[in-house]
Amino acid sequence: MPGPLQISGSVSVPEAELHWRFSRSSGPGGQGVNTTDSRVELSFDLAATEALGPIFRARALERLGSRLVNGVVTIAASEFRSQLRNREAAEMRLAQLLREAIAPPPKKRRPTKPSRGAVERRITAKKQRSDLKRLRRDI
């Protein structure tokens, strides 16, 4: 848990740039439900980070634009009863989100045209269908 958050082989986010908030989790619980702060919010200031290079940061800001509030992305985790497990879940989700955001764009599709055989098969099938319908007509 402690230490930098590893995004990819060459990219990691220092622990100092991650901001944690803890609160009570909703839902059913036992006797400790009102005393345990097990819900976790992990915030990361994407706009001001130095951990990502300028290219990665620009790409992430563009792709995560709808999720950002003043350049900050926030992940909430409350699915586990333990704060530690919720912290791990939030870190994993943030790492996955950033990994997808800084990934290189997919290669452009190269348009292709159908082969001559495929065109001929399609036209032959259309003629057969046309003949079948023509034979069904009343004369």
Side-chain angles (χ1 to χ4, degrees):
M1 275 271 299
L5 176 64
Q6 198 65 33
I7 304 300
S8 67
S10 61
V11 179
S12 63
V13 175
E15 192 176 359
E17 292 191 12
L18 302 176
H19 304 284
W20 298 93
R21 269 186 48 200
F22 306 101
S23 61
R24 289 191 203 126
S25 189
S26 65
Q31 292 177 342
V33 71
N34 292 324
T35 59
T36 309
D37 288 341
S38 60
R39 183 174 185 271
V40 172
E41 280 187 20
L42 175 58
S43 298
F44 174 61
D45 192 351
L46 190 57
T49 186
E50 295 297 322
L52 304 175
I55 295 170
F56 285 157
R57 185 172 48 229
R59 194 181 291 166
L61 284 170
E62 179 186 337
R63 290 185 180 168
L64 298 176
S66 62
R67 286 198 62 157
L68 299 177
V69 177
N70 297 328
V72 177
V73 64
T74 302
I75 304 288
S78 63
E79 58 265 20
F80 299 106
R81 291 178 65 174
S82 156
Q83 186 188 99
L84 180 64
R85 291 194 54 200
N86 282 330
R87 285 180 70 141
E88 291 169 352
E91 276 190 341
M92 285 177 35
R93 269 194 245 150
L94 179 63
Q96 182 64 32
L97 185 72
L98 292 176
R99 204 172 295 124
E100 290 170 2
I102 65 173
K107 289 183 180 177
K108 289 220 172 203
R109 180 188 172 276
R110 248 177 77 194
T112 59
K113 62 182 193 181
S115 65
R116 182 188 291 175
V119 171
E120 288 174 1
R121 284 191 298 273
R122 182 179 65 86
I123 294 195
T124 304
K126 286 177 72 153
K127 283 183 181 171
Q128 287 175 347
R129 186 77 180 153
S130 172
D131 291 343
L132 180 69
K133 288 188 171 191
R134 189 172 38 78
L135 289 173
R136 286 188 198 144
R137 288 189 207 144
D138 288 336
I139 299 174

